[in-house]
Amino acid sequence: MTKIECRNLRKVFRIRDQSFEAIRDLNFEIASGELVAVVGKTGCGKSTTLNILLGLERPTDGRLAIDGKEPYDDFDFFRGKLSVVFQTDRLLPWRTVLQNATYGLEILRVPQQERTEKARYWLEKVGLTQFENAYPHELSGGMRQRVGIARAFSIGPEVLLCDEAFGHLDEVTARQLRADFLKLIRETKKTSLFITHDIDEALELGQRVLVLGKPARLLMDVQIPPGTTENPAKQAELKSRIIQVIESDGPGKKE
Ligand SMILES: Nc1ncnc2c1ncn2[C@@H]1O[C@H](COP(=O)(O)OP(=O)(O)O)[C@@H](O)[C@H]1O
Ligand SMILES: [Mg+2]
């Protein structure tokens, strides 16, 4: 069943008399339960696509719909259905780990006891039970990102979105977090879209990788056979194919 449908999506930003095309003609479909990585150069329109999915931006043309509905027009329908893990943790510094993890549930007006139970469940899943009373500044970057993951899962979203979620972490921490995140996604069978500029990360996480050109449009849609990342030769071959496709797209001129 199609969960996310992107049809002839186009986004042009206008700043005074200048216009800038961030998304040219983007088409893809994501089925329920799929884990898809979206990879493309910096500035190719990935976050803009995510913002349209979140209902924060309106498409200039075309449509991007979840369950047949467009987030910008149906903002209320999407309450509690989507969660995002951003690159920076976006935690509230004056709240404890537990209070941060319950934040989304609070906005959804879930009763206090239930939201504490749910948040604790997910904090345990990400290994932070002992830190529930700590404040963000007392945690490492990786731990803060784990709080963000717990917060995202706590609301029980149908779709989980990640925008460069592990992009600023050191490689060892990022790798561990990716593995743990993947496990949670598989356990919950959530539809998820993982945006990254890192091709290895895309191959590690996605069952399928969408490669975007600049401005955003689909250059390549590739299924990742299970076990690819355990096979360095196979991973290297796929990676070089993806790099070739991105490079052949040209330097990404600003119109
Ligand atoms: N609100 C905005 N107004 C004007 N230009 C924007 C806006 N948001 C993004 N852009 C431009 O659109 C392009 C794509 O940005 P973005 O989606 O953030 O790329 P990515 O996430 O792939 O790095 C960039 O060149 C960026 O400067
Ligand atoms: Mg971005």
Side-chain angles (χ1 to χ4, degrees):
M1 208 179 79
T2 303
K3 189 75 184 169
I4 304 176
E5 186 195 19
C6 184
R7 281 281 152 264
N8 306 114
L9 190 71
R10 182 156 185 265
K11 178 71 188 178
V12 178
F13 289 110
R14 289 182 214 285
I15 307 164
R16 285 176 225 103
D17 56 343
Q18 297 261 344
S19 67
F20 178 78
E21 190 182 33
I23 302 173
R24 176 158 292 172
D25 183 18
L26 186 56
N27 286 284
F28 62 82
E29 271 178 31
I30 292 172
S32 240
E34 255 190 313
L35 168 55
V36 177
V38 177
V39 70
K41 281 196 267 203
T42 299
C44 81
K46 302 183 294 296
S47 295
T48 304
T49 306
L50 184 96
N51 286 337
I52 295 174
L53 261 177
L54 291 174
L56 302 174
E57 294 275 5
R58 168 178 259 162
T60 306
D61 262 310
R63 68 190 244 118
L64 181 50
I66 304 179
D67 289 335
K69 291 191 195 293
E70 294 184 70
Y72 194 91
D73 299 329
D74 258 309
F75 207 79
D76 282 338
F77 174 80
F78 288 96
R79 276 176 72 84
K81 295 201 175 182
L82 309 179
S83 275
V84 199
V85 183
F86 292 101
Q87 174 165 23
T88 52
D89 55 63
R90 300 204 190 184
L91 300 179
L92 301 171
W94 60 87
R95 286 184 164 228
T96 63
V97 165
L98 180 62
Q99 289 164 346
N100 267 290
T102 56
Y103 187 65
L105 294 161
E106 219 173 291
I107 289 177
L108 293 171
R109 298 176 196 273
V110 172
Q112 173 146 23
Q113 192 184 339
E114 188 183 337
R115 59 184 194 241
T116 304
E117 278 167 16
K118 285 187 168 155
R120 284 205 168 118
Y121 173 84
W122 285 103
L123 285 173
E124 204 233 309
K125 286 276 194 190
V126 298
L128 287 180
T129 298
Q130 289 166 18
F131 296 90
E132 69 167 50
N133 295 317
Y135 286 88
H137 75 269
E138 300 174 280
L139 308 178
S140 69
M143 288 159 89
R144 285 202 292 271
Q145 209 56 326
R146 284 178 189 274
V147 181
I149 293 171
R151 180 181 55 189
F153 275 99
S154 287
I155 67 159
E158 291 178 16
V159 178
L160 198 79
L161 305 165
C162 295
D163 192 3
E164 315 264 9
F166 311 132
H168 71 299
L169 299 173
D170 67 86
E171 185 48 35
V172 177
T173 307
R175 181 168 289 236
Q176 184 61 50
L177 241 69
R178 274 200 291 274
D180 293 350
F181 176 77
L182 203 53
K183 200 166 141 245
L184 296 181
I185 289 281
R186 289 201 172 123
E187 272 175 34
T188 52
K189 299 188 170 63
K190 296 226 177 289
T191 308
S192 57
L193 202 62
F194 195 98
I195 288 174
T196 178
H197 64 267
D198 182 327
I199 299 171
D200 287 313
E201 179 167 79
L203 291 172
E204 229 167 275
L205 280 172
Q207 299 160 345
R208 182 179 159 206
V209 175
L210 304 180
V211 182
L212 303 190
K214 183 176 176 176
R217 61 215 192 284
L218 193 63
L219 298 180
M220 187 181 181
D221 180 347
V222 57
Q223 295 286 338
I224 310 302
T228 298
T229 41
E230 282 94 68
N231 180 341
K234 181 81 194 148
Q235 176 161 351
E237 187 229 304
L238 257 174
K239 183 178 179 179
S240 79
R241 263 175 60 203
I242 291 173
I243 290 174
Q244 237 173 30
V245 166
I246 293 175
E247 278 179 345
S248 66
D249 183 47
K253 295 189 290 289
K254 283 211 167 193
E255 288 200 320

